[in-house]
Structures are given as C-alpha cells and as structure tokens.
Amino acid sequence: EQNVSSSRSDTFSVKVSGTPSASGKLSTKLILNNIPSSIYTGNVVTFTGKFTSDGIPLSGKLILIKEDDPIFADQRLGYGRTDSNGEFSIDWKVTPGLIETDFDVHAIFDGDDLYNFARTENQEMSVVRLWSSITLNPIPQSINVGEQVTFSGNVRLEKGNPEGYVVYVMDEDAFD
C-alpha cells in the first residue's frame, strides 16, 4: 500500500561447515571405541563410538556394527542411531550357538544424501565358550527285553548351574 514504507530486516551470517568431497557430499569421521579382545558366549558387549563431520557431531544417523567376512556378505551384529552428541551405544548379545569364534568387528555408516559413507578399521574380538563336561555312569553290559535301564551321570559347567539342562542319551550305531 501507499501508506506503508519499505523496511529491511537485519542481516545474518550463516557458516556452513563440512568439506564437500568429489561427490558433493560432506566428509565424515566414524570412530569405534576399543572393544574387548574376548567375550564369553551369553554375555553382552556394548559397542560405542562417535560420528562427526568436520568435528561437528551428527545426530540421528544409523550406525551398523558388522563382522568382516572376506568370502560372504558381512554379518550384522547390531545397529543404532547416534544421539545429539554424535555418539552411539549398540549392544550385542553373544549367542552360544555361534560357529565362528574370531570376529573382525567394524562400524559403518552407509552414507545419505548429505554425508559420505564411513567405515572404521577392523578390531579383533574372540568369542570364548565356557568349559563344560558330561559323564555317564557305568551301565549294564546286557539286559533282558522289557527290563528298565536307568541312565545317570553328571554335567559340570565352568560357570552357572546345570539344573534344568536337557541331556540326550543316544544309541551309537555305526550303520545308522
């Protein structure tokens, strides 16, 4: 309108941080803090670290913890998001049924529209199984058809109570 004079707001400066790479995305730095060199099956290990771009923490970014496999696809052990400080804390319960016992663990950020992919160096961790033993008490060398046989023995564990464990008594036959 004619009764309104023109005006202008204050001028503000904005600093854009980060160094674009050749792809135009911002550079990133991913740190995986030192992990234990070994852990017992059944325990939980917590992977921690930090994710930044030019020293500025990146929040809400998905971090994957993986086991490096040279032949097959890397196995994912866990995942989580960074907090407002760019830090992550990801738990992994080490299950007793693992076939592999030596792990090369690393953290990964897969990249997004603004930030580059990042991967940490591998750290080695061994999964240690607890010692256990089972004994079978002597059984008769022969029995008559229809007779009852009681199998007994002892289960010993390095740690924990064996009460409630299932024990299988099996017939070993070379042909079956």
mmCIF file of all heavy atoms in Angstrom, residues 59-107:
data_model
loop_
_atom_site.group_PDB
_atom_site.id
_atom_site.type_symbol
_atom_site.label_atom_id
_atom_site.label_comp_id
_atom_site.label_asym_id
_atom_site.label_seq_id
_atom_site.Cartn_x
_atom_site.Cartn_y
_atom_site.Cartn_z
ATOM 1 N N SER A 59 23.757 -36.205 14.566
ATOM 2 C CA SER A 59 22.756 -36.928 15.343
ATOM 3 C C SER A 59 21.758 -37.629 14.434
ATOM 4 O O SER A 59 21.535 -37.230 13.297
ATOM 5 C CB SER A 59 22.034 -35.973 16.294
ATOM 6 O OG SER A 59 21.279 -35.045 15.554
ATOM 7 N N GLY A 60 21.165 -38.698 14.977
ATOM 8 C CA GLY A 60 20.122 -39.434 14.267
ATOM 9 C C GLY A 60 20.622 -40.262 13.103
ATOM 10 O O GLY A 60 19.824 -40.732 12.294
ATOM 11 N N LYS A 61 21.912 -40.490 12.998
ATOM 12 C CA LYS A 61 22.465 -41.264 11.879
ATOM 13 C C LYS A 61 22.560 -42.737 12.257
ATOM 14 O O LYS A 61 22.953 -43.096 13.361
ATOM 15 C CB LYS A 61 23.849 -40.740 11.473
ATOM 16 C CG LYS A 61 23.835 -39.281 11.030
ATOM 17 C CD LYS A 61 22.918 -39.065 9.862
ATOM 18 C CE LYS A 61 22.894 -37.610 9.418
ATOM 19 N NZ LYS A 61 21.912 -37.362 8.384
ATOM 20 N N LEU A 62 22.192 -43.618 11.323
ATOM 21 C CA LEU A 62 22.180 -45.059 11.541
ATOM 22 C C LEU A 62 23.595 -45.623 11.418
ATOM 23 O O LEU A 62 24.239 -45.492 10.373
ATOM 24 C CB LEU A 62 21.260 -45.742 10.532
ATOM 25 C CG LEU A 62 21.102 -47.248 10.682
ATOM 26 C CD1 LEU A 62 20.439 -47.602 12.009
ATOM 27 C CD2 LEU A 62 20.313 -47.816 9.516
ATOM 28 N N ILE A 63 24.058 -46.253 12.487
ATOM 29 C CA ILE A 63 25.377 -46.881 12.526
ATOM 30 C C ILE A 63 25.172 -48.387 12.618
ATOM 31 O O ILE A 63 24.378 -48.874 13.426
ATOM 32 C CB ILE A 63 26.198 -46.385 13.737
ATOM 33 C CG1 ILE A 63 26.311 -44.859 13.740
ATOM 34 C CG2 ILE A 63 27.570 -47.053 13.771
ATOM 35 C CD1 ILE A 63 27.023 -44.265 12.545
ATOM 36 N N LEU A 64 25.875 -49.134 11.792
ATOM 37 C CA LEU A 64 25.818 -50.594 11.791
ATOM 38 C C LEU A 64 27.115 -51.145 12.364
ATOM 39 O O LEU A 64 28.194 -50.653 12.033
ATOM 40 C CB LEU A 64 25.638 -51.126 10.376
ATOM 41 C CG LEU A 64 24.464 -50.580 9.568
ATOM 42 C CD1 LEU A 64 24.537 -51.069 8.131
ATOM 43 C CD2 LEU A 64 23.152 -50.985 10.199
ATOM 44 N N ILE A 65 27.007 -52.169 13.195
ATOM 45 C CA ILE A 65 28.179 -52.902 13.682
ATOM 46 C C ILE A 65 28.180 -54.220 12.925
ATOM 47 O O ILE A 65 27.200 -54.964 12.939
ATOM 48 C CB ILE A 65 28.112 -53.150 15.199
ATOM 49 C CG1 ILE A 65 27.986 -51.829 15.960
ATOM 50 C CG2 ILE A 65 29.333 -53.947 15.656
ATOM 51 C CD1 ILE A 65 29.158 -50.882 15.816
ATOM 52 N N LYS A 66 29.309 -54.497 12.260
ATOM 53 C CA LYS A 66 29.377 -55.695 11.418
ATOM 54 C C LYS A 66 30.641 -56.490 11.688
ATOM 55 O O LYS A 66 31.625 -55.978 12.205
ATOM 56 C CB LYS A 66 29.337 -55.300 9.938
ATOM 57 C CG LYS A 66 28.001 -54.733 9.499
ATOM 58 C CD LYS A 66 27.953 -54.583 7.996
ATOM 59 C CE LYS A 66 26.554 -54.228 7.528
ATOM 60 N NZ LYS A 66 26.469 -54.247 6.068
ATOM 61 N N GLU A 67 30.569 -57.761 11.291
ATOM 62 C CA GLU A 67 31.712 -58.657 11.345
ATOM 63 C C GLU A 67 32.207 -58.816 9.918
ATOM 64 O O GLU A 67 31.443 -59.177 9.029
ATOM 65 C CB GLU A 67 31.291 -60.001 11.935
ATOM 66 C CG GLU A 67 32.451 -60.855 12.405
ATOM 67 C CD GLU A 67 33.080 -61.698 11.315
ATOM 68 O OE1 GLU A 67 32.363 -62.147 10.419
ATOM 69 O OE2 GLU A 67 34.306 -61.893 11.356
ATOM 70 N N ASP A 68 33.479 -58.506 9.703
ATOM 71 C CA ASP A 68 34.065 -58.542 8.362
ATOM 72 C C ASP A 68 34.222 -59.987 7.908
ATOM 73 O O ASP A 68 34.852 -60.788 8.578
ATOM 74 C CB ASP A 68 35.423 -57.839 8.402
ATOM 75 C CG ASP A 68 35.960 -57.553 7.012
ATOM 76 O OD1 ASP A 68 35.216 -57.690 6.032
ATOM 77 O OD2 ASP A 68 37.143 -57.173 6.911
ATOM 78 N N ASP A 69 33.627 -60.308 6.782
ATOM 79 C CA ASP A 69 33.715 -61.653 6.228
ATOM 80 C C ASP A 69 34.311 -61.538 4.830
ATOM 81 O O ASP A 69 33.702 -60.931 3.954
ATOM 82 C CB ASP A 69 32.334 -62.304 6.170
ATOM 83 C CG ASP A 69 32.416 -63.797 5.905
ATOM 84 O OD1 ASP A 69 33.288 -64.221 5.121
ATOM 85 O OD2 ASP A 69 31.611 -64.538 6.492
ATOM 86 N N PRO A 70 35.501 -62.115 4.605
ATOM 87 C CA PRO A 70 36.159 -61.962 3.304
ATOM 88 C C PRO A 70 35.481 -62.706 2.161
ATOM 89 O O PRO A 70 35.668 -62.369 1.006
ATOM 90 C CB PRO A 70 37.573 -62.497 3.540
ATOM 91 C CG PRO A 70 37.444 -63.405 4.718
ATOM 92 C CD PRO A 70 36.312 -62.877 5.552
ATOM 93 N N ILE A 71 34.652 -63.722 2.467
ATOM 94 C CA ILE A 71 34.044 -64.535 1.418
ATOM 95 C C ILE A 71 32.578 -64.162 1.191
ATOM 96 O O ILE A 71 32.147 -63.960 0.067
ATOM 97 C CB ILE A 71 34.171 -66.034 1.755
ATOM 98 C CG1 ILE A 71 35.650 -66.415 1.846
ATOM 99 C CG2 ILE A 71 33.465 -66.882 0.716
ATOM 100 C CD1 ILE A 71 35.908 -67.798 2.364
ATOM 101 N N PHE A 72 31.809 -64.081 2.265
ATOM 102 C CA PHE A 72 30.376 -63.805 2.170
ATOM 103 C C PHE A 72 30.105 -62.358 2.573
ATOM 104 O O PHE A 72 31.003 -61.625 2.944
ATOM 105 C CB PHE A 72 29.590 -64.757 3.071
ATOM 106 C CG PHE A 72 29.818 -66.204 2.739
ATOM 107 C CD1 PHE A 72 30.597 -67.003 3.558
ATOM 108 C CD2 PHE A 72 29.273 -66.767 1.596
ATOM 109 C CE1 PHE A 72 30.823 -68.341 3.251
ATOM 110 C CE2 PHE A 72 29.481 -68.095 1.279
ATOM 111 C CZ PHE A 72 30.263 -68.879 2.106
ATOM 112 N N ALA A 73 28.847 -61.965 2.525
ATOM 113 C CA ALA A 73 28.468 -60.618 2.965
ATOM 114 C C ALA A 73 28.766 -60.478 4.459
ATOM 115 O O ALA A 73 28.630 -61.434 5.217
ATOM 116 C CB ALA A 73 26.983 -60.388 2.704
ATOM 117 N N ASP A 74 29.186 -59.285 4.856
ATOM 118 C CA ASP A 74 29.480 -59.043 6.262
ATOM 119 C C ASP A 74 28.239 -59.298 7.102
ATOM 120 O O ASP A 74 27.126 -58.949 6.720
ATOM 121 C CB ASP A 74 29.948 -57.602 6.482
ATOM 122 C CG ASP A 74 31.330 -57.355 5.893
ATOM 123 O OD1 ASP A 74 31.966 -58.314 5.418
ATOM 124 O OD2 ASP A 74 31.771 -56.197 5.913
ATOM 125 N N GLN A 75 28.432 -59.923 8.254
ATOM 126 C CA GLN A 75 27.326 -60.239 9.160
ATOM 127 C C GLN A 75 27.051 -59.037 10.051
ATOM 128 O O GLN A 75 27.963 -58.491 10.662
ATOM 129 C CB GLN A 75 27.683 -61.443 10.008
ATOM 130 C CG GLN A 75 26.633 -61.804 11.035
ATOM 131 C CD GLN A 75 27.089 -62.919 11.961
ATOM 132 O OE1 GLN A 75 28.154 -63.480 11.822
ATOM 133 N NE2 GLN A 75 26.267 -63.219 12.929
ATOM 134 N N ARG A 76 25.781 -58.629 10.150
ATOM 135 C CA ARG A 76 25.426 -57.508 11.021
ATOM 136 C C ARG A 76 25.247 -58.026 12.440
ATOM 137 O O ARG A 76 24.483 -58.933 12.701
ATOM 138 C CB ARG A 76 24.128 -56.844 10.551
ATOM 139 C CG ARG A 76 23.812 -55.583 11.358
ATOM 140 C CD ARG A 76 22.576 -54.908 10.873
ATOM 141 N NE ARG A 76 21.419 -55.710 11.302
ATOM 142 C CZ ARG A 76 20.200 -55.553 10.836
ATOM 143 N NH1 ARG A 76 19.955 -54.670 9.906
ATOM 144 N NH2 ARG A 76 19.218 -56.304 11.283
ATOM 145 N N LEU A 77 25.967 -57.403 13.376
ATOM 146 C CA LEU A 77 25.871 -57.775 14.780
ATOM 147 C C LEU A 77 24.868 -56.893 15.515
ATOM 148 O O LEU A 77 24.287 -57.312 16.509
ATOM 149 C CB LEU A 77 27.243 -57.672 15.460
ATOM 150 C CG LEU A 77 28.377 -58.470 14.816
ATOM 151 C CD1 LEU A 77 29.674 -58.249 15.573
ATOM 152 C CD2 LEU A 77 28.024 -59.946 14.749
ATOM 153 N N GLY A 78 24.700 -55.663 15.064
ATOM 154 C CA GLY A 78 23.773 -54.749 15.713
ATOM 155 C C GLY A 78 23.729 -53.426 14.983
ATOM 156 O O GLY A 78 24.509 -53.178 14.059
ATOM 157 N N TYR A 79 22.810 -52.565 15.409
ATOM 158 C CA TYR A 79 22.699 -51.244 14.806
ATOM 159 C C TYR A 79 22.054 -50.288 15.799
ATOM 160 O O TYR A 79 21.400 -50.716 16.762
ATOM 161 C CB TYR A 79 21.889 -51.282 13.504
ATOM 162 C CG TYR A 79 20.467 -51.724 13.690
ATOM 163 C CD1 TYR A 79 19.446 -50.800 13.904
ATOM 164 C CD2 TYR A 79 20.145 -53.078 13.669
ATOM 165 C CE1 TYR A 79 18.140 -51.218 14.085
ATOM 166 C CE2 TYR A 79 18.842 -53.495 13.845
ATOM 167 C CZ TYR A 79 17.849 -52.566 14.057
ATOM 168 O OH TYR A 79 16.560 -52.982 14.247
ATOM 169 N N GLY A 80 22.263 -49.015 15.573
ATOM 170 C CA GLY A 80 21.660 -47.994 16.425
ATOM 171 C C GLY A 80 21.873 -46.624 15.798
ATOM 172 O O GLY A 80 22.602 -46.483 14.816
ATOM 173 N N ARG A 81 21.252 -45.622 16.380
ATOM 174 C CA ARG A 81 21.360 -44.250 15.880
ATOM 175 C C ARG A 81 22.205 -43.415 16.816
ATOM 176 O O ARG A 81 22.235 -43.652 18.025
ATOM 177 C CB ARG A 81 19.978 -43.636 15.723
ATOM 178 C CG ARG A 81 19.189 -44.323 14.612
ATOM 179 C CD ARG A 81 18.104 -43.429 14.053
ATOM 180 N NE ARG A 81 17.427 -44.085 12.959
ATOM 181 C CZ ARG A 81 17.772 -43.975 11.686
ATOM 182 N NH1 ARG A 81 18.773 -43.212 11.329
ATOM 183 N NH2 ARG A 81 17.100 -44.622 10.743
ATOM 184 N N THR A 82 22.860 -42.429 16.246
ATOM 185 C CA THR A 82 23.667 -41.518 17.040
ATOM 186 C C THR A 82 22.763 -40.572 17.820
ATOM 187 O O THR A 82 21.673 -40.218 17.373
ATOM 188 C CB THR A 82 24.628 -40.703 16.148
ATOM 189 O OG1 THR A 82 23.862 -40.037 15.139
ATOM 190 C CG2 THR A 82 25.678 -41.599 15.502
ATOM 191 N N ASP A 83 23.233 -40.146 18.998
ATOM 192 C CA ASP A 83 22.477 -39.199 19.807
ATOM 193 C C ASP A 83 22.859 -37.767 19.419
ATOM 194 O O ASP A 83 23.586 -37.557 18.444
ATOM 195 C CB ASP A 83 22.682 -39.468 21.302
ATOM 196 C CG ASP A 83 24.121 -39.262 21.774
ATOM 197 O OD1 ASP A 83 24.944 -38.643 21.043
ATOM 198 O OD2 ASP A 83 24.434 -39.713 22.886
ATOM 199 N N SER A 84 22.408 -36.790 20.190
ATOM 200 C CA SER A 84 22.664 -35.378 19.854
ATOM 201 C C SER A 84 24.145 -35.023 19.919
ATOM 202 O O SER A 84 24.559 -34.011 19.351
ATOM 203 C CB SER A 84 21.856 -34.462 20.774
ATOM 204 O OG SER A 84 22.232 -34.680 22.127
ATOM 205 N N ASN A 85 24.952 -35.847 20.570
ATOM 206 C CA ASN A 85 26.402 -35.628 20.625
ATOM 207 C C ASN A 85 27.146 -36.417 19.544
ATOM 208 O O ASN A 85 28.369 -36.477 19.552
ATOM 209 C CB ASN A 85 26.949 -36.006 22.001
ATOM 210 C CG ASN A 85 26.398 -35.134 23.094
ATOM 211 O OD1 ASN A 85 26.271 -33.919 22.922
ATOM 212 N ND2 ASN A 85 26.042 -35.730 24.218
ATOM 213 N N GLY A 86 26.392 -37.071 18.659
ATOM 214 C CA GLY A 86 27.006 -37.882 17.611
ATOM 215 C C GLY A 86 27.504 -39.222 18.123
ATOM 216 O O GLY A 86 28.191 -39.949 17.410
ATOM 217 N N GLU A 87 27.165 -39.579 19.352
ATOM 218 C CA GLU A 87 27.653 -40.816 19.954
ATOM 219 C C GLU A 87 26.640 -41.939 19.780
ATOM 220 O O GLU A 87 25.443 -41.704 19.695
ATOM 221 C CB GLU A 87 27.943 -40.584 21.433
ATOM 222 C CG GLU A 87 29.063 -39.569 21.628
ATOM 223 C CD GLU A 87 29.291 -39.195 23.077
ATOM 224 O OE1 GLU A 87 28.470 -39.558 23.948
ATOM 225 O OE2 GLU A 87 30.303 -38.529 23.341
ATOM 226 N N PHE A 88 27.160 -43.162 19.726
ATOM 227 C CA PHE A 88 26.293 -44.332 19.632
ATOM 228 C C PHE A 88 26.706 -45.356 20.671
ATOM 229 O O PHE A 88 27.853 -45.380 21.124
ATOM 230 C CB PHE A 88 26.298 -44.941 18.222
ATOM 231 C CG PHE A 88 27.646 -45.411 17.755
ATOM 232 C CD1 PHE A 88 28.092 -46.707 18.012
ATOM 233 C CD2 PHE A 88 28.476 -44.562 17.028
ATOM 234 C CE1 PHE A 88 29.328 -47.145 17.565
ATOM 235 C CE2 PHE A 88 29.713 -44.990 16.581
ATOM 236 C CZ PHE A 88 30.142 -46.280 16.849
ATOM 237 N N SER A 89 25.743 -46.193 21.061
ATOM 238 C CA SER A 89 25.948 -47.272 22.013
ATOM 239 C C SER A 89 25.057 -48.419 21.552
ATOM 240 O O SER A 89 23.835 -48.318 21.599
ATOM 241 C CB SER A 89 25.571 -46.803 23.416
ATOM 242 O OG SER A 89 25.731 -47.857 24.345
ATOM 243 N N ILE A 90 25.695 -49.499 21.084
ATOM 244 C CA ILE A 90 24.970 -50.600 20.456
ATOM 245 C C ILE A 90 25.331 -51.908 21.158
ATOM 246 O O ILE A 90 26.500 -52.280 21.217
ATOM 247 C CB ILE A 90 25.309 -50.677 18.950
ATOM 248 C CG1 ILE A 90 24.943 -49.351 18.268
ATOM 249 C CG2 ILE A 90 24.626 -51.864 18.300
ATOM 250 C CD1 ILE A 90 25.493 -49.192 16.879
ATOM 251 N N ASP A 91 24.318 -52.588 21.694
ATOM 252 C CA ASP A 91 24.532 -53.847 22.404
ATOM 253 C C ASP A 91 24.433 -55.034 21.457
ATOM 254 O O ASP A 91 23.647 -55.021 20.509
ATOM 255 C CB ASP A 91 23.478 -54.037 23.503
ATOM 256 C CG ASP A 91 23.648 -53.053 24.650
ATOM 257 O OD1 ASP A 91 24.754 -52.520 24.820
ATOM 258 O OD2 ASP A 91 22.664 -52.830 25.383
ATOM 259 N N TRP A 92 25.235 -56.065 21.745
ATOM 260 C CA TRP A 92 25.156 -57.336 21.028
ATOM 261 C C TRP A 92 25.277 -58.454 22.041
ATOM 262 O O TRP A 92 26.262 -58.541 22.774
ATOM 263 C CB TRP A 92 26.255 -57.450 19.980
ATOM 264 C CG TRP A 92 26.288 -58.773 19.260
ATOM 265 C CD1 TRP A 92 25.240 -59.410 18.663
ATOM 266 C CD2 TRP A 92 27.426 -59.624 19.066
ATOM 267 N NE1 TRP A 92 25.647 -60.598 18.099
ATOM 268 C CE2 TRP A 92 26.982 -60.757 18.330
ATOM 269 C CE3 TRP A 92 28.762 -59.535 19.425
ATOM 270 C CZ2 TRP A 92 27.845 -61.788 17.965
ATOM 271 C CZ3 TRP A 92 29.618 -60.559 19.057
ATOM 272 C CH2 TRP A 92 29.164 -61.675 18.329
ATOM 273 N N LYS A 93 24.246 -59.307 22.107
ATOM 274 C CA LYS A 93 24.306 -60.472 22.982
ATOM 275 C C LYS A 93 24.961 -61.606 22.207
ATOM 276 O O LYS A 93 24.484 -62.002 21.144
ATOM 277 C CB LYS A 93 22.924 -60.892 23.458
ATOM 278 C CG LYS A 93 23.010 -62.074 24.404
ATOM 279 C CD LYS A 93 21.730 -62.387 25.100
ATOM 280 C CE LYS A 93 22.024 -63.530 26.067
ATOM 281 N NZ LYS A 93 20.889 -63.896 26.848
ATOM 282 N N VAL A 94 26.047 -62.108 22.747
ATOM 283 C CA VAL A 94 26.813 -63.158 22.090
ATOM 284 C C VAL A 94 26.107 -64.487 22.339
ATOM 285 O O VAL A 94 26.093 -64.988 23.455
ATOM 286 C CB VAL A 94 28.257 -63.195 22.619
ATOM 287 C CG1 VAL A 94 29.075 -64.215 21.853
ATOM 288 C CG2 VAL A 94 28.896 -61.816 22.527
ATOM 289 N N THR A 95 25.505 -65.034 21.306
ATOM 290 C CA THR A 95 24.735 -66.263 21.453
ATOM 291 C C THR A 95 25.654 -67.482 21.480
ATOM 292 O O THR A 95 26.669 -67.520 20.776
ATOM 293 C CB THR A 95 23.713 -66.409 20.308
ATOM 294 O OG1 THR A 95 24.407 -66.338 19.068
ATOM 295 C CG2 THR A 95 22.665 -65.334 20.368
ATOM 296 N N PRO A 96 25.313 -68.482 22.291
ATOM 297 C CA PRO A 96 26.168 -69.659 22.430
ATOM 298 C C PRO A 96 26.335 -70.475 21.159
ATOM 299 O O PRO A 96 27.323 -71.155 20.995
ATOM 300 C CB PRO A 96 25.468 -70.494 23.501
ATOM 301 C CG PRO A 96 24.607 -69.550 24.233
ATOM 302 C CD PRO A 96 24.212 -68.501 23.234
ATOM 303 N N GLY A 97 25.395 -70.419 20.221
ATOM 304 C CA GLY A 97 25.436 -71.280 19.045
ATOM 305 C C GLY A 97 26.311 -70.794 17.909
ATOM 306 O O GLY A 97 26.251 -71.340 16.814
ATOM 307 N N LEU A 98 27.145 -69.798 18.132
ATOM 308 C CA LEU A 98 27.970 -69.271 17.045
ATOM 309 C C LEU A 98 28.950 -70.311 16.535
ATOM 310 O O LEU A 98 29.572 -71.022 17.313
ATOM 311 C CB LEU A 98 28.766 -68.050 17.525
ATOM 312 C CG LEU A 98 27.946 -66.812 17.873
ATOM 313 C CD1 LEU A 98 28.857 -65.764 18.499
ATOM 314 C CD2 LEU A 98 27.287 -66.253 16.634
ATOM 315 N N ILE A 99 29.072 -70.383 15.219
ATOM 316 C CA ILE A 99 30.045 -71.291 14.611
ATOM 317 C C ILE A 99 31.424 -70.633 14.637
ATOM 318 O O ILE A 99 32.420 -71.241 14.970
ATOM 319 C CB ILE A 99 29.633 -71.640 13.166
ATOM 320 C CG1 ILE A 99 28.327 -72.417 13.198
ATOM 321 C CG2 ILE A 99 30.717 -72.413 12.456
ATOM 322 C CD1 ILE A 99 27.696 -72.640 11.857
ATOM 323 N N GLU A 100 31.451 -69.377 14.297
ATOM 324 C CA GLU A 100 32.703 -68.624 14.251
ATOM 325 C C GLU A 100 33.071 -68.154 15.648
ATOM 326 O O GLU A 100 32.203 -67.804 16.446
ATOM 327 C CB GLU A 100 32.510 -67.419 13.327
ATOM 328 C CG GLU A 100 33.784 -66.846 12.803
ATOM 329 C CD GLU A 100 33.518 -65.886 11.653
ATOM 330 O OE1 GLU A 100 32.392 -65.798 11.156
ATOM 331 O OE2 GLU A 100 34.471 -65.207 11.279
ATOM 332 N N THR A 101 34.363 -68.140 15.964
ATOM 333 C CA THR A 101 34.786 -67.688 17.285
ATOM 334 C C THR A 101 35.700 -66.475 17.239
ATOM 335 O O THR A 101 35.933 -65.848 18.261
ATOM 336 C CB THR A 101 35.493 -68.819 18.067
ATOM 337 O OG1 THR A 101 36.611 -69.281 17.297
ATOM 338 C CG2 THR A 101 34.545 -69.967 18.339
ATOM 339 N N ASP A 102 36.244 -66.154 16.087
ATOM 340 C CA ASP A 102 37.097 -64.971 15.948
ATOM 341 C C ASP A 102 36.403 -63.978 15.025
ATOM 342 O O ASP A 102 36.066 -64.304 13.892
ATOM 343 C CB ASP A 102 38.473 -65.347 15.372
ATOM 344 C CG ASP A 102 39.277 -66.181 16.344
ATOM 345 O OD1 ASP A 102 39.248 -65.857 17.542
ATOM 346 O OD2 ASP A 102 39.914 -67.148 15.913
ATOM 347 N N PHE A 103 36.200 -62.759 15.538
ATOM 348 C CA PHE A 103 35.452 -61.748 14.812
ATOM 349 C C PHE A 103 36.330 -60.545 14.512
ATOM 350 O O PHE A 103 37.091 -60.095 15.361
ATOM 351 C CB PHE A 103 34.242 -61.291 15.636
ATOM 352 C CG PHE A 103 33.135 -62.296 15.691
ATOM 353 C CD1 PHE A 103 33.203 -63.388 16.534
ATOM 354 C CD2 PHE A 103 32.022 -62.147 14.886
ATOM 355 C CE1 PHE A 103 32.177 -64.315 16.569
ATOM 356 C CE2 PHE A 103 30.992 -63.065 14.918
ATOM 357 C CZ PHE A 103 31.079 -64.149 15.758
ATOM 358 N N ASP A 104 36.220 -60.027 13.279
ATOM 359 C CA ASP A 104 36.819 -58.757 12.883
ATOM 360 C C ASP A 104 35.674 -57.758 12.827
ATOM 361 O O ASP A 104 34.907 -57.738 11.869
ATOM 362 C CB ASP A 104 37.510 -58.865 11.522
ATOM 363 C CG ASP A 104 38.740 -59.756 11.575
ATOM 364 O OD1 ASP A 104 39.460 -59.681 12.584
ATOM 365 O OD2 ASP A 104 38.966 -60.525 10.635
ATOM 366 N N VAL A 105 35.560 -56.941 13.863
ATOM 367 C CA VAL A 105 34.404 -56.064 14.046
ATOM 368 C C VAL A 105 34.715 -54.662 13.529
ATOM 369 O O VAL A 105 35.814 -54.141 13.734
ATOM 370 C CB VAL A 105 34.024 -56.001 15.543
ATOM 371 C CG1 VAL A 105 32.869 -55.060 15.785
ATOM 372 C CG2 VAL A 105 33.693 -57.399 16.057
ATOM 373 N N HIS A 106 33.728 -54.055 12.859
ATOM 374 C CA HIS A 106 33.863 -52.673 12.412
ATOM 375 C C HIS A 106 32.503 -51.987 12.433
ATOM 376 O O HIS A 106 31.470 -52.647 12.502
ATOM 377 C CB HIS A 106 34.483 -52.584 11.013
ATOM 378 C CG HIS A 106 33.691 -53.289 9.954
ATOM 379 N ND1 HIS A 106 33.808 -54.640 9.710
ATOM 380 C CD2 HIS A 106 32.764 -52.836 9.085
ATOM 381 C CE1 HIS A 106 32.992 -54.972 8.732
ATOM 382 N NE2 HIS A 106 32.330 -53.903 8.335
ATOM 383 N N ALA A 107 32.534 -50.658 12.406
ATOM 384 C CA ALA A 107 31.303 -49.860 12.360
ATOM 385 C C ALA A 107 31.196 -49.238 10.970
ATOM 386 O O ALA A 107 32.210 -48.917 10.341
ATOM 387 C CB ALA A 107 31.327 -48.772 13.428
#
